[in-house]
Amino acid sequence: MIAGCGPAPGGSDGGAGSSGDGKTASATLKDLKKLQVKGRAPMTGYDRDKFGPAWSDVDGNGCDTRNDILIRDLKEETFRKGEDGCVVQSGVLEDPYSGKTIKFERGTRSSMAVQIDHVIALADAWQKGAQQLSASKRRELANDPLNLMAVDGPLNGQKGAGDAATWLPPRRAYRCPYVERQIRVKIKYDLWVTSAERDAMEGVLKSC
């Protein structure tokens, strides 16, 4: 595998020269050029509630989004009794951001070891086009599996609302799939990039 590319969550490997979704890095660079380049809009009016209730069951499968993502991204899951296979009690995460193996155990303090990251942070999305989306589209963005990954909790806290210009996964092997995923989300929801963000994404993709 070419340096800068690595497995996506769930163990899917994009292959040499891939950005993580079976696309070549050159194809992803072309996608990047489709995005508008603009400055950040003000944070005025931002509230997490603007993206709907946290972890809604948007697909109607009986499980909230957080548990859907844990079920998708963890291995060796166990479930809370009497919850119809929805509430993940424990499991193992092969963290894409750090490369570490992390044991997840549901609990007031232990649950924080694994968090669900919005690949495009909602506060960042708000400043780059989400203000203009309908309430239903913002709710979709907040719960879209494409924009969600189970990751190392402290690293997710470190990232905060950062974009590619201010934060990238410390595991260099995952930076190409990470940036490619961000671009896919931005295209899907008609979000823009800043010039610094575009340059950072381009730099990563050219290293794939």
Side-chain angles (χ1 to χ4, degrees):
M1 183 180 303
I2 294 176
C5 301
S12 176
D13 191 331
S18 167
S19 54
D21 189 43
K23 281 192 172 187
T24 62
S26 60
T28 304
L29 279 165
K30 290 179 181 178
D31 287 342
L32 175 59
K33 292 178 181 178
K34 297 175 185 177
L35 297 175
Q36 292 187 73
V37 180
K38 299 168 66 174
R40 286 179 178 271
M43 279 292 286
T44 308
Y46 172 74
D47 190 291
R48 172 61 178 83
D49 291 344
K50 298 281 189 179
F51 292 82
W55 309 133
S56 304
D57 177 18
V58 293
D59 59 7
N61 69 349
C63 300
D64 64 55
T65 302
R66 183 174 188 272
N67 279 289
D68 280 339
I69 300 304
L70 289 173
I71 291 166
R72 184 195 69 185
D73 291 352
L74 299 186
K75 302 185 299 183
E76 302 173 24
E77 306 100 317
T78 65
F79 297 89
R80 184 181 290 170
K81 292 181 180 179
E83 295 286 352
D84 298 324
C86 268
V87 179
V88 177
Q89 186 66 35
S90 66
V92 176
L93 174 69
E94 300 296 339
D95 176 45
Y97 288 176
S98 66
K100 296 188 300 185
T101 299
I102 303 171
K103 292 184 178 180
F104 170 79
E105 187 73 37
R106 183 172 294 276
T108 305
R109 298 178 66 181
S110 58
S111 288
M112 298 302 290
V114 173
Q115 297 177 19
I116 307 302
D117 178 36
H118 285 96
V119 178
I120 300 296
L122 300 185
D124 185 59
W126 181 260
Q127 295 180 282
K128 297 172 183 174
Q131 294 183 41
Q132 284 76 53
L133 298 177
S134 66
S136 62
K137 202 68 177 175
R138 286 196 296 266
R139 183 169 178 256
E140 181 185 337
L141 168 62
N143 291 277
D144 190 338
L146 178 63
N147 194 36
L148 296 168
M149 293 170 51
V151 300
D152 176 275
L155 282 180
N156 187 41
Q158 180 189 95
K159 172 187 171 180
D163 62 18
T166 59
W167 191 90
L168 290 167
R171 180 184 168 221
R172 291 182 176 275
Y174 195 69
R175 289 182 177 180
C176 283
Y178 176 77
V179 164
E180 189 271 342
R181 197 177 187 112
Q182 287 193 322
I183 292 168
R184 289 173 63 203
V185 172
K186 294 215 168 200
I187 289 174
K188 183 174 181 178
Y189 292 95
D190 197 24
L191 305 176
W192 68 74
V193 290
T194 64
S195 58
E197 182 181 12
R198 177 204 56 199
D199 292 349
M201 288 176 160
E202 184 176 2
V204 168
L205 292 171
K206 285 182 175 179
S207 75
C208 296

